[in-house]
Amino acid sequence: MSAFVPDVPPADQPPAVDAVLTLTGERTIPDLDIENYWFRRHEVVYERLATRCAGRDVLEAGCGEGYGADLIAGVARRVVAVDYDEAAVAHVRHRYPRVEVMQANLAELPLPDASVDVVVNFQVIEHLWDQGQFVRECARVLRPSGLLMVSTPNRITFSPGRDTPINPFHTRELNADELTELLVHGGFAEVEMCGLFHGPRLQEMDARHGGSIIDAQIAQALACDEGAPWPPELAADVAAVTTADFDLIGRGDREIADSLDLIAIAVRA
């Protein structure tokens, strides 16, 4: 999810590999003040879990802009990144040379059996049509006892009271039990579940913006369709968010149903 106005280039137009990817709402990108909240909300998970990739062969399945794969490349032995979007792949290849990137469908990962130690899939699984097939592919390419690390919006708080996702780019959102069941049925065990929450400073921002800085951003994105400028206080708060403003908390320490995002770490059975 992001504060966006769709602006997608024609499908037959070749990507400009030296350009910053267009903000469409399908993926988050760095270096934009109005996108900073969503970017930091995604980036924090890479930061907190990167140590589990240290010295290992890692696949990022669904790398998007590539900032996360590059962060992991700072500690991993090798990082292979896969994305379905050709423009994203060209961008990653140009901007992040230490990442090996290729274009492919995540339902058919272009890697041999038992070829990586960790698969990273952050804020992607909710975009996939066949989530079960993807999880089975992750199990196939992982070595014995390898890790699959998944983050995804918590359906309960992200699309409350709805049968279909709010975000038009999402196909199916999950709660903690549904995500656990998906991973277990796909060949994983020992599923560790955490939740992402607003820390104290973001809670203060929530209070300043009618109870939810998220809702304030979404309302502003819709207003921008009509040319409305960002209120200065909202713009300043969004631009000031850092990864330190989020808390990653284990399932036993706080009610997981209240989390913003779910983070699962599963061991290949």
Side-chain angles (χ1 to χ4, degrees), residues 15 83-91 93 103:
D83 202 275
Y84 186 73
D85 183 74
E86 289 186 18
V89 169
H91 173 83
R93 186 172 290 122
Q103 192 273 338

Side-chain angles (χ1 to χ4, degrees), residues 46-234:
Y46 288 98
E47 285 186 354
R48 305 283 172 88
L49 297 185
T51 56
R52 295 179 183 252
C53 300
R56 297 182 170 184
D57 296 327
V58 179
L59 165 67
E60 180 167 25
C63 63
E65 194 274 344
Y67 65 89
D70 187 63
L71 187 155
I72 292 170
V75 299
R77 177 168 53 198
R78 177 192 183 205
V79 176
V80 178
V82 173
D83 202 275
Y84 186 73
D85 183 74
E86 289 186 18
V89 169
H91 173 83
V92 173
R93 186 172 290 122
H94 174 78
R95 184 168 183 177
Y96 304 111
R98 61 183 177 176
V99 175
E100 301 173 35
V101 63
M102 62 186 78
Q103 192 273 338
N105 190 323
L106 299 192
E108 297 179 357
L109 294 172
L111 276 74
D113 295 356
S115 56
V116 295
D117 303 301
V118 182
V119 175
V120 172
N121 181 250
F122 292 161
Q123 301 294 329
V124 173
I125 199 166
E126 67 276 4
H127 294 260
L128 304 181
W129 288 103
D130 195 339
Q131 295 172 345
Q133 170 62 18
F134 166 69
V135 173
R136 290 189 292 273
E137 275 290 277
C138 292
R140 179 185 66 78
V141 301
L142 278 167
R143 294 169 182 144
S145 300
L147 297 181
L148 170 59
M149 304 197 296
V150 177
S151 76
T152 190
N154 178 13
R155 176 174 59 79
I156 296 171
T157 58
F158 201 79
S159 298
R162 291 175 58 98
D163 295 328
T164 57
I166 291 174
N167 190 312
F169 296 104
H170 293 181
T171 60
R172 180 195 176 206
E173 295 169 357
L174 304 158
N175 64 28
D177 290 341
E178 291 163 345
L179 178 55
T180 300
E181 181 180 17
L182 180 68
L183 296 174
V184 170
H185 285 177
F188 290 85
E190 302 177 39
V191 179
E192 173 188 349
M193 189 71 63
C194 301
L196 190 73
F197 297 84
H198 281 177
R201 203 165 75 103
L202 269 168
Q203 292 174 25
E204 293 174 2
M205 292 182 189
D206 283 332
R208 282 200 293 274
H209 299 287
S212 172
I213 193 171
I214 299 171
D215 291 346
Q217 290 177 86
I218 293 171
Q220 185 57 42
L222 296 174
C224 280
D225 288 341
E226 301 173 1
W230 278 65
E233 186 177 42
L234 177 61

Side-chain angles (χ1 to χ4, degrees), residues 22-75:
T22 302
L23 181 63
T24 67
E26 187 172 12
R27 68 174 72 87
T28 189
I29 60 177
D31 306 323
L32 288 177
D33 283 351
I34 64 169
E35 179 69 6
N36 184 60
Y37 168 86
W38 298 104
F39 173 69
R40 301 302 178 190
R41 179 166 156 177
H42 293 187
E43 183 187 34
V44 63
V45 181
Y46 288 98
E47 285 186 354
R48 305 283 172 88
L49 297 185
T51 56
R52 295 179 183 252
C53 300
R56 297 182 170 184
D57 296 327
V58 179
L59 165 67
E60 180 167 25
C63 63
E65 194 274 344
Y67 65 89
D70 187 63
L71 187 155
I72 292 170
V75 299

